[in-house]
Amino acid sequence: MGEDIRLAAVVALAQGMAAAHGSREAWRAAAAGACRALGGSFAALSVWERELGRLRVLVNVGERAAGEEEFPEGEAYPVHQFPEITEFLHERWAGGGEPNAWVETAEGPAAGGRPGYVHQRVAALRRRGRGSCVVAPIVLNGRAWGELYVARPVGAPVFGREDADFATVLAAVVAAGIAQAERLEEARRLAFTDALTGLANRRAVDARLDEAVDRHKRDGVVVSLVVCDLNGLKRVNDTRGHAVGDRLLERFGSVLSLCGAMLPGALAARLGGDEFCLLAVGPSADDVVRAADELCRRAGELELGEGVACGVASTADPIGPVRSARRLFRLADAAQYRAKAERADRPVVAGRGGPDDPVVRLADAASPGQAGERRTFRGRQP
């Protein structure tokens, strides 16, 4: 392969990873780009999970053998079967530079291969009808991150030393792409996460609730929202300091997460200040009310604070048509406002007070400054 062709392949690999949205797309772009660059028929990207002592396959691309999935859930191999990865820590490269790639063949060690190890890879090549492979360590921040694996079928030219050297270059490009993808993933995570509690934030609720209401209008899926205000936070802040108040928020966040786990797929979030919510898509309204009831009970048992005021609104209850996220939020918010006004120790549920339910009427009639509009649902972040 000419130098110009290889340079173009490197650029294409880097561009493919840069254009990826999320880690999975970046993994696929890395494996597919390396496979094309090396003229392979199959490629895989694996990560070294140190705490579990294994290499876990993240993605398989190209001509997959039986049992090989594109994004496998459980394909992993004990690291002792591939001890070369532990050699990444050896002094010969720890002081600088990158570890070299190497070649394995279905016939045993090849030029540029690494004799002396127990080559489970050789058996795997034969079992899957592949003639040779090149393996390139991936190093991130000076530590072994995982490896890039590219194979050719039986009958195709066997990888050589020049291919291994090129794979080393490709692995460095992949490492840079993975680092960028991880930084972007972290930025996205922080953008949708409350820093104090680790729960979702208002931005995440906005996005998820809009999607949920669209599903409700299209498919009739049940969407329920629990909105709650943590009572007594101001008193704690004024008398014991904001550090103790933050601890109360963190503890309640843990309780909210625990109760949210009663509802498969529920999103637990801090909206800002002492305001929290649970968004459930799919579970019945009764299940959501039970989770809210448990939330009230557990919040009342916290050492700090004075319990929680909790309101619930669900599309499965008689609350009228829900055509927007704002409508559902206003109903839940109005129910919460009523719970606070009545000092209720259990959730108030919109639509469960009969046809003249004051919560429904309050939310429908609310104008700026009234209960249902105490928060602007969109565009205002905590």
Side-chain angles (χ1 to χ4, degrees), residues 332-345:
D333 196 34
Q336 181 276 132
Y337 183 77
R338 178 180 165 193
K340 183 176 281 289
E342 296 177 357
R343 298 183 180 275
D345 60 0

Side-chain angles (χ1 to χ4, degrees), residues 39-378:
S41 60
F42 170 85
L45 186 69
S46 303
V47 62
W48 180 12
E49 296 182 327
R50 283 176 170 78
E51 70 280 10
L52 298 176
R54 68 182 189 179
L55 277 173
R56 180 170 65 88
V57 178
L58 299 173
V59 64
N60 293 310
V61 302
E63 298 174 7
R64 302 197 301 270
E68 288 179 328
E69 300 174 358
E70 183 177 22
F71 293 106
E73 290 296 325
E75 186 180 354
Y77 303 94
V79 74
H80 72 262
Q81 291 185 5
F82 306 103
E84 64 271 6
I85 194 169
T86 62
E87 187 181 307
F88 296 176
L89 303 179
H90 196 274
E91 290 179 359
R92 70 186 181 84
W93 69 268
E98 301 292 337
N100 292 326
W102 67 94
V103 173
E104 306 279 2
T105 79
E107 304 304 320
R114 302 185 129 183
Y117 294 120
V118 178
H119 288 303
Q120 277 81 4
R121 295 187 199 277
V122 173
L125 285 170
R126 294 170 180 168
R127 186 170 64 251
R128 292 166 178 162
R130 293 167 185 150
S132 66
C133 68
V134 59
V135 184
I138 295 172
V139 178
L140 224 58
N141 302 318
R143 300 183 69 193
W145 182 90
E147 64 178 39
L148 176 68
Y149 173 100
V150 180
R152 287 175 179 167
V154 171
V158 171
F159 287 113
R161 180 67 261 168
E162 185 176 307
D163 294 309
D165 291 341
F166 185 41
T168 300
V169 174
L170 294 173
V173 176
V174 169
I178 289 171
Q180 176 69 6
E182 290 184 348
R183 284 193 293 271
L184 290 174
E185 284 284 308
E186 179 65 7
R188 292 188 188 103
R189 187 190 68 79
L190 292 174
F192 290 95
T193 302
D194 176 64
L196 178 64
T197 63
L199 300 176
N201 64 11
R202 180 58 172 272
R203 186 180 290 109
V205 176
D206 284 351
R208 187 77 67 86
L209 186 54
D210 275 343
E211 293 172 0
V213 171
D214 285 344
R215 285 185 60 195
H216 166 70
K217 291 188 294 183
R218 184 179 66 249
D219 305 323
V221 67
V222 175
V223 181
S224 305
L225 192 64
V226 180
V227 174
C228 44
D229 272 18
L230 184 59
N231 297 326
L233 178 63
K234 185 177 185 305
R235 178 190 59 78
V236 171
N237 284 335
D238 290 346
T239 60
R240 304 185 64 175
H242 286 272
V244 178
D246 285 351
R247 192 159 71 246
L248 171 59
L249 290 168
E250 290 177 295
R251 288 179 179 175
F252 180 71
S254 296
V255 169
L256 184 69
S257 178
L258 180 67
C259 294
M262 298 169 61
L263 305 168
L267 180 72
R270 181 186 177 206
L271 300 174
D274 58 1
E275 301 170 346
F276 294 77
C277 80
L278 274 176
L279 171 59
V281 182
S284 70
D286 286 342
D287 285 345
V288 174
V289 172
R290 276 191 288 271
D293 200 44
E294 179 68 6
L295 177 64
C296 290
R297 185 186 70 78
R298 288 178 177 270
E301 295 175 351
L302 289 175
E303 177 185 353
L304 302 168
E306 301 166 6
V308 66
C310 186
V312 182
S314 175
T315 59
D317 282 329
I319 58 175
V322 175
R323 297 188 177 91
S324 69
R326 181 186 294 273
R327 160 92 177 153
L328 190 66
F329 189 88
R330 285 170 59 182
L331 286 165
D333 196 34
Q336 181 276 132
Y337 183 77
R338 178 180 165 193
K340 183 176 281 289
E342 296 177 357
R343 298 183 180 275
D345 60 0
R346 299 189 65 185
V348 170
V349 184
R352 296 198 176 187
D356 295 324
D357 186 347
V359 170
V360 177
R361 287 190 286 106
L362 176 61
D364 285 340
S367 58
Q370 291 182 298
E373 292 287 352
R374 290 186 304 122
R375 310 179 187 91
T376 300
F377 182 68
R378 273 196 123 10

